[in-house]
Amino acid sequence: MRAFDIIRTCLRNLTKRKLRTTLTVSGVLIGTSAIIVMMSLGIGMDREMTKMIEEWADLTMIEVYNYGGRTDQGGEVADITDDVIKEFKALKNVTSVMPVYTNFYVGEQIAVYNTNGKALQWTPLVGVYMDELENFGFKLKEGRFKQPGEPNTTVLFGSEVGEYVILFEEGIDQWGNYQYEYAERDWDTWELLSFPVDHMGDEWYIIPLTMDYNTWRPDYSVIDSPTAPHMDYNEQLNVVGVIEGSWSFYETVRGIFIDISYIKGLIEAYNELNPDNQYAEFDGVYNNVRIRVNDMDNVVAVEDELKAMGYQTWSANEMRENMRQQIMIIQLLLAALAAVSLFVAAMNITNTMIMAIVERTKEIGIMKVLGCDVGKIRIMFLGEAAAIGFLGGVAGIILSLGLSFIINNFLGTLFMGLMGGGGSEAIRISVIPPWLALMALGIAMAVGVVAGLYPAHRSVKISALAAISHE
Amino acid sequence: MGTMISVKNLIKIYKVGSEKVVALNDLTFDVEQGEICCILGTSGCGKSTLLNMLAGLEKPTRGEIVIGGQHIEKMNEVKVTKFRQKNVGFIFQSYNLLYGITALENVAMPLMFRGVRKKKREKIAFLMLAMVGLAKRVRHKPTQMSGGQQQRVGIARAFAARPKIVFADEPTGNLDSKTTIEVMELMVEMCRRNNQTLILVTHDKDIAAYADRTIRLYDGYIVSDERKNVEIKQERVLT
Ligand SMILES: Nc1ncnc2c1ncn2[C@@H]1O[C@H](COP(=O)(O)OP(=O)(O)O)[C@@H](O)[C@H]1O
Ligand SMILES: [Mg+2]
């Protein structure tokens, strides 16, 4: 008997009992679409959440701290030095390691000013490995990265450096304040429209300052004063580029990136100029290190290794994983509910098939007497059950695509409204990727086949003789 | 002409509760190829039991059945089904057609089991139905036919795959005398055409007239075995 004939026979038997087939298929349809919709909600929630986190967080970055404590083996936690950083870099899946040293604030301990008489304010001076920036994944808004071999006065600006500047040459007013200028901001998009300075066009200098204890403000009068000892440390900065800022790494927006070796000299100069206000010398120990991992799925593993070494870590990914686990639990619960309906559908199929076999006992007997292979009879009934599963699965996919559309277009906006978000942004809380649809179809067919096993077995056991002599 | 069927010391005993019913009692006979062999006897003498045993639908209690060199009694269900598919056609008293499909599809069914393509088997089925005089009824379902017509469909089905042997169990049992003659002539003609062996079970002496040979059963015994007026041998004589 040919496969095609078996399929034809299956379909004929199914279409002969239209109502019964429709009802049985409906059961599978409901079960399948329940599973698809429930899973799609989980997938959609996960995607929305990842998208949301990605907007303000960097999911492949880990921040490492050393608060002391113990390693897993109970040993002393090693201070994070250049050597330890090399160890970090040797960890699997780590692509780059970057110490971040942010003790100095431009506008407080030091001044960065241009020849137009404008000095930067609220700007952290970020000591990093300048030659590692590109490898770490920093993006440029303009200009280029520092080339190896360039002097350590080569710097990059954060994207919004110079948003606010003081006009130090004008002197202070009667209340002790400098005049200031700031950039215009578009308050809808939060974009800066124009800067009071030209990042790469202006001529920039750096100089350590001294606190004026009368005003509790740093004293800018040392700039260009030939007698001030500060002028010995006055150096020109070479701004070669502007970093594409991201609020997930605040310094990329507000900071000036400079080689860590330069900061070391700066601390010494500052301490010399401020005998009453000493800063801790840089002793080669970093308190904050950022690690870049090749893929967000490897972040947890790298974090675990770092924790085993005794360090504290933070990553946006960790939070994402936590949220993800919660979503997965919800998803599993929903899928379990859906599975119940699929189980009912399976019993329904078994019942239908047993009825079909009882009705067709004589027919089966005749077929056996006429030489229909026993195995083919089994396949025929399994095929019928699988076909019910397949039809239910396909119908279930179609129904769930419709439900998903409704959820996203009507409930989605309602949901966003409740969350207080702008209704304008499209949010898809139900996502049906092709693999989900195919998986559901596979499950539906498998349910059909499993539900058909017992009836098919019974059909095989029917005695040909008893069946044909049975009136 | 060789031996088609060879039965040796065939015994069938049914157990009904604690009682034993001996349905066939030590039968031994051969059937030649191309022979039309009638098994004649009153109701309950064991005719159907013998036929079912020959077709492998039931296992004998003891004894041998060799058809075309193969031991039927030793085959399992899968093998014996395959054997029937290749070698055996069936005609039943109650026709045993499938009522959900057309006459054409009924006749084509044994060919379908053999793996013959739809186009080819429907052509054969059509020719078979034309031969039994139902060319105009090929698309009808058996429910729309008279008993005689249904049995003709049954005959067409039994011969469609050109089996070596056709078993017919009371094929005219449900037909009137006029139709009985038509059906018998048709069966004999079909058999002769391809030199097929026909085992014909009946309780009607008149039917036996169509056969080359008549084996009489009585209560599980063979009481006579004669070829068209020539007695072959007497198995047992009842005392
Ligand atoms: N399945 C069975 N179980 C018990 N007894 C049976 C069974 N089949 C047939 N018999 C008995 O065997 C004998 C022969 O039956 P059967 O071959 O059907 O007779 P026939 O076909 O000649 O009328 C009868 O006595 C019948 O009651
Ligand atoms: Mg009988």
Side-chain angles (χ1 to χ4, degrees), chain A residues 384-406:
Chain A
E384 238 178 280
I388 290 173
F390 177 79
L391 292 174
V394 169
I397 290 172
I398 294 168
L399 178 66
S400 19
L401 287 173
L403 286 175
S404 175
F405 181 83
I406 292 170

PDB file of all heavy atoms in Angstrom, chain A residues 384-406:
ATOM      1  N   GLU A 384      -4.374   9.266  11.131  1.00  0.00           N
ATOM      2  CA  GLU A 384      -5.605  10.015  11.347  1.00  0.00           C
ATOM      3  C   GLU A 384      -5.481  10.890  12.584  1.00  0.00           C
ATOM      4  O   GLU A 384      -5.874  12.061  12.577  1.00  0.00           O
ATOM      5  CB  GLU A 384      -6.760   9.021  11.521  1.00  0.00           C
ATOM      6  CG  GLU A 384      -7.854   9.225  10.510  1.00  0.00           C
ATOM      7  CD  GLU A 384      -8.941   8.188  10.681  1.00  0.00           C
ATOM      8  OE1 GLU A 384      -8.740   7.064  10.193  1.00  0.00           O
ATOM      9  OE2 GLU A 384      -9.972   8.498  11.302  1.00  0.00           O
ATOM     10  N   ALA A 385      -4.924  10.303  13.645  1.00  0.00           N
ATOM     11  CA  ALA A 385      -4.762  11.067  14.891  1.00  0.00           C
ATOM     12  C   ALA A 385      -3.772  12.210  14.692  1.00  0.00           C
ATOM     13  O   ALA A 385      -3.995  13.338  15.148  1.00  0.00           O
ATOM     14  CB  ALA A 385      -4.284  10.141  16.008  1.00  0.00           C
ATOM     15  N   ALA A 386      -2.678  11.919  13.964  1.00  0.00           N
ATOM     16  CA  ALA A 386      -1.689  12.971  13.709  1.00  0.00           C
ATOM     17  C   ALA A 386      -2.296  14.074  12.856  1.00  0.00           C
ATOM     18  O   ALA A 386      -2.016  15.259  13.063  1.00  0.00           O
ATOM     19  CB  ALA A 386      -0.462  12.384  13.012  1.00  0.00           C
ATOM     20  N   ALA A 387      -3.154  13.684  11.904  1.00  0.00           N
ATOM     21  CA  ALA A 387      -3.780  14.683  11.041  1.00  0.00           C
ATOM     22  C   ALA A 387      -4.685  15.601  11.865  1.00  0.00           C
ATOM     23  O   ALA A 387      -4.733  16.814  11.635  1.00  0.00           O
ATOM     24  CB  ALA A 387      -4.582  14.001   9.947  1.00  0.00           C
ATOM     25  N   ILE A 388      -5.391  15.012  12.835  1.00  0.00           N
ATOM     26  CA  ILE A 388      -6.209  15.845  13.719  1.00  0.00           C
ATOM     27  C   ILE A 388      -5.310  16.835  14.452  1.00  0.00           C
ATOM     28  O   ILE A 388      -5.599  18.031  14.538  1.00  0.00           O
ATOM     29  CB  ILE A 388      -6.997  14.963  14.725  1.00  0.00           C
ATOM     30  CG1 ILE A 388      -8.073  14.186  13.986  1.00  0.00           C
ATOM     31  CG2 ILE A 388      -7.616  15.823  15.829  1.00  0.00           C
ATOM     32  CD1 ILE A 388      -8.810  13.165  14.838  1.00  0.00           C
ATOM     33  N   GLY A 389      -4.169  16.320  14.959  1.00  0.00           N
ATOM     34  CA  GLY A 389      -3.212  17.199  15.629  1.00  0.00           C
ATOM     35  C   GLY A 389      -2.695  18.278  14.701  1.00  0.00           C
ATOM     36  O   GLY A 389      -2.631  19.450  15.062  1.00  0.00           O
ATOM     37  N   PHE A 390      -2.372  17.884  13.467  1.00  0.00           N
ATOM     38  CA  PHE A 390      -1.824  18.832  12.502  1.00  0.00           C
ATOM     39  C   PHE A 390      -2.845  19.926  12.177  1.00  0.00           C
ATOM     40  O   PHE A 390      -2.523  21.119  12.233  1.00  0.00           O
ATOM     41  CB  PHE A 390      -1.434  18.088  11.224  1.00  0.00           C
ATOM     42  CG  PHE A 390      -0.916  18.971  10.129  1.00  0.00           C
ATOM     43  CD1 PHE A 390       0.391  19.431  10.169  1.00  0.00           C
ATOM     44  CD2 PHE A 390      -1.732  19.370   9.079  1.00  0.00           C
ATOM     45  CE1 PHE A 390       0.873  20.259   9.168  1.00  0.00           C
ATOM     46  CE2 PHE A 390      -1.261  20.195   8.081  1.00  0.00           C
ATOM     47  CZ  PHE A 390       0.042  20.645   8.129  1.00  0.00           C
ATOM     48  N   LEU A 391      -4.077  19.497  11.884  1.00  0.00           N
ATOM     49  CA  LEU A 391      -5.113  20.486  11.546  1.00  0.00           C
ATOM     50  C   LEU A 391      -5.338  21.434  12.717  1.00  0.00           C
ATOM     51  O   LEU A 391      -5.424  22.656  12.550  1.00  0.00           O
ATOM     52  CB  LEU A 391      -6.422  19.783  11.186  1.00  0.00           C
ATOM     53  CG  LEU A 391      -6.393  18.988   9.870  1.00  0.00           C
ATOM     54  CD1 LEU A 391      -7.695  18.215   9.687  1.00  0.00           C
ATOM     55  CD2 LEU A 391      -6.184  19.947   8.704  1.00  0.00           C
ATOM     56  N   GLY A 392      -5.430  20.840  13.930  1.00  0.00           N
ATOM     57  CA  GLY A 392      -5.610  21.672  15.123  1.00  0.00           C
ATOM     58  C   GLY A 392      -4.441  22.614  15.321  1.00  0.00           C
ATOM     59  O   GLY A 392      -4.608  23.772  15.696  1.00  0.00           O
ATOM     60  N   GLY A 393      -3.228  22.099  15.034  1.00  0.00           N
ATOM     61  CA  GLY A 393      -2.024  22.925  15.190  1.00  0.00           C
ATOM     62  C   GLY A 393      -2.028  24.100  14.224  1.00  0.00           C
ATOM     63  O   GLY A 393      -1.783  25.241  14.617  1.00  0.00           O
ATOM     64  N   VAL A 394      -2.333  23.818  12.967  1.00  0.00           N
ATOM     65  CA  VAL A 394      -2.340  24.896  11.964  1.00  0.00           C
ATOM     66  C   VAL A 394      -3.410  25.927  12.320  1.00  0.00           C
ATOM     67  O   VAL A 394      -3.163  27.141  12.337  1.00  0.00           O
ATOM     68  CB  VAL A 394      -2.582  24.319  10.550  1.00  0.00           C
ATOM     69  CG1 VAL A 394      -2.845  25.440   9.561  1.00  0.00           C
ATOM     70  CG2 VAL A 394      -1.386  23.493  10.108  1.00  0.00           C
ATOM     71  N   ALA A 395      -4.610  25.423  12.640  1.00  0.00           N
ATOM     72  CA  ALA A 395      -5.689  26.345  13.015  1.00  0.00           C
ATOM     73  C   ALA A 395      -5.280  27.129  14.258  1.00  0.00           C
ATOM     74  O   ALA A 395      -5.570  28.330  14.374  1.00  0.00           O
ATOM     75  CB  ALA A 395      -6.972  25.567  13.269  1.00  0.00           C
ATOM     76  N   GLY A 396      -4.602  26.435  15.179  1.00  0.00           N
ATOM     77  CA  GLY A 396      -4.155  27.094  16.410  1.00  0.00           C
ATOM     78  C   GLY A 396      -3.165  28.207  16.119  1.00  0.00           C
ATOM     79  O   GLY A 396      -3.222  29.274  16.731  1.00  0.00           O
ATOM     80  N   ILE A 397      -2.263  27.976  15.159  1.00  0.00           N
ATOM     81  CA  ILE A 397      -1.287  29.014  14.799  1.00  0.00           C
ATOM     82  C   ILE A 397      -2.019  30.224  14.233  1.00  0.00           C
ATOM     83  O   ILE A 397      -1.763  31.363  14.614  1.00  0.00           O
ATOM     84  CB  ILE A 397      -0.270  28.465  13.775  1.00  0.00           C
ATOM     85  CG1 ILE A 397       0.650  27.444  14.449  1.00  0.00           C
ATOM     86  CG2 ILE A 397       0.551  29.593  13.178  1.00  0.00           C
ATOM     87  CD1 ILE A 397       1.545  26.704  13.489  1.00  0.00           C
ATOM     88  N   ILE A 398      -2.969  29.945  13.346  1.00  0.00           N
ATOM     89  CA  ILE A 398      -3.707  31.063  12.729  1.00  0.00           C
ATOM     90  C   ILE A 398      -4.461  31.846  13.804  1.00  0.00           C
ATOM     91  O   ILE A 398      -4.396  33.079  13.857  1.00  0.00           O
ATOM     92  CB  ILE A 398      -4.669  30.525  11.651  1.00  0.00           C
ATOM     93  CG1 ILE A 398      -3.849  29.938  10.499  1.00  0.00           C
ATOM     94  CG2 ILE A 398      -5.587  31.637  11.138  1.00  0.00           C
ATOM     95  CD1 ILE A 398      -4.662  29.130   9.516  1.00  0.00           C
ATOM     96  N   LEU A 399      -5.149  31.110  14.676  1.00  0.00           N
ATOM     97  CA  LEU A 399      -5.903  31.793  15.732  1.00  0.00           C
ATOM     98  C   LEU A 399      -4.976  32.604  16.630  1.00  0.00           C
ATOM     99  O   LEU A 399      -5.271  33.751  16.984  1.00  0.00           O
ATOM    100  CB  LEU A 399      -6.672  30.768  16.582  1.00  0.00           C
ATOM    101  CG  LEU A 399      -7.456  31.360  17.760  1.00  0.00           C
ATOM    102  CD1 LEU A 399      -8.590  32.247  17.254  1.00  0.00           C
ATOM    103  CD2 LEU A 399      -8.021  30.271  18.663  1.00  0.00           C
ATOM    104  N   SER A 400      -3.812  32.027  16.962  1.00  0.00           N
ATOM    105  CA  SER A 400      -2.948  32.774  17.887  1.00  0.00           C
ATOM    106  C   SER A 400      -2.317  33.991  17.220  1.00  0.00           C
ATOM    107  O   SER A 400      -2.062  34.985  17.884  1.00  0.00           O
ATOM    108  CB  SER A 400      -1.882  31.905  18.538  1.00  0.00           C
ATOM    109  OG  SER A 400      -1.673  30.737  17.853  1.00  0.00           O
ATOM    110  N   LEU A 401      -2.081  33.899  15.897  1.00  0.00           N
ATOM    111  CA  LEU A 401      -1.588  35.105  15.210  1.00  0.00           C
ATOM    112  C   LEU A 401      -2.629  36.214  15.322  1.00  0.00           C
ATOM    113  O   LEU A 401      -2.303  37.379  15.572  1.00  0.00           O
ATOM    114  CB  LEU A 401      -1.289  34.794  13.736  1.00  0.00           C
ATOM    115  CG  LEU A 401      -0.032  33.956  13.478  1.00  0.00           C
ATOM    116  CD1 LEU A 401       0.063  33.572  12.012  1.00  0.00           C
ATOM    117  CD2 LEU A 401       1.219  34.711  13.910  1.00  0.00           C
ATOM    118  N   GLY A 402      -3.898  35.832  15.165  1.00  0.00           N
ATOM    119  CA  GLY A 402      -4.981  36.812  15.303  1.00  0.00           C
ATOM    120  C   GLY A 402      -5.044  37.367  16.714  1.00  0.00           C
ATOM    121  O   GLY A 402      -5.130  38.587  16.923  1.00  0.00           O
ATOM    122  N   LEU A 403      -4.983  36.456  17.697  1.00  0.00           N
ATOM    123  CA  LEU A 403      -5.049  36.892  19.099  1.00  0.00           C
ATOM    124  C   LEU A 403      -3.874  37.798  19.428  1.00  0.00           C
ATOM    125  O   LEU A 403      -4.026  38.823  20.093  1.00  0.00           O
ATOM    126  CB  LEU A 403      -5.039  35.672  20.025  1.00  0.00           C
ATOM    127  CG  LEU A 403      -6.327  34.866  20.070  1.00  0.00           C
ATOM    128  CD1 LEU A 403      -6.139  33.627  20.939  1.00  0.00           C
ATOM    129  CD2 LEU A 403      -7.465  35.719  20.609  1.00  0.00           C
ATOM    130  N   SER A 404      -2.703  37.408  18.917  1.00  0.00           N
ATOM    131  CA  SER A 404      -1.496  38.191  19.167  1.00  0.00           C
ATOM    132  C   SER A 404      -1.658  39.604  18.602  1.00  0.00           C
ATOM    133  O   SER A 404      -1.294  40.595  19.237  1.00  0.00           O
ATOM    134  CB  SER A 404      -0.314  37.481  18.517  1.00  0.00           C
ATOM    135  OG  SER A 404       0.840  38.240  18.636  1.00  0.00           O
ATOM    136  N   PHE A 405      -2.239  39.677  17.407  1.00  0.00           N
ATOM    137  CA  PHE A 405      -2.475  40.976  16.770  1.00  0.00           C
ATOM    138  C   PHE A 405      -3.393  41.825  17.654  1.00  0.00           C
ATOM    139  O   PHE A 405      -3.126  42.999  17.915  1.00  0.00           O
ATOM    140  CB  PHE A 405      -3.102  40.753  15.390  1.00  0.00           C
ATOM    141  CG  PHE A 405      -3.372  42.027  14.642  1.00  0.00           C
ATOM    142  CD1 PHE A 405      -2.355  42.643  13.928  1.00  0.00           C
ATOM    143  CD2 PHE A 405      -4.633  42.600  14.657  1.00  0.00           C
ATOM    144  CE1 PHE A 405      -2.601  43.810  13.236  1.00  0.00           C
ATOM    145  CE2 PHE A 405      -4.888  43.775  13.970  1.00  0.00           C
ATOM    146  CZ  PHE A 405      -3.871  44.385  13.262  1.00  0.00           C
ATOM    147  N   ILE A 406      -4.460  41.205  18.132  1.00  0.00           N
ATOM    148  CA  ILE A 406      -5.408  41.942  18.975  1.00  0.00           C
ATOM    149  C   ILE A 406      -4.730  42.399  20.268  1.00  0.00           C
ATOM    150  O   ILE A 406      -4.838  43.558  20.674  1.00  0.00           O
ATOM    151  CB  ILE A 406      -6.637  41.054  19.297  1.00  0.00           C
ATOM    152  CG1 ILE A 406      -7.439  40.835  18.017  1.00  0.00           C
ATOM    153  CG2 ILE A 406      -7.504  41.701  20.372  1.00  0.00           C
ATOM    154  CD1 ILE A 406      -8.533  39.801  18.141  1.00  0.00           C
TER     155      ILE A 406
END
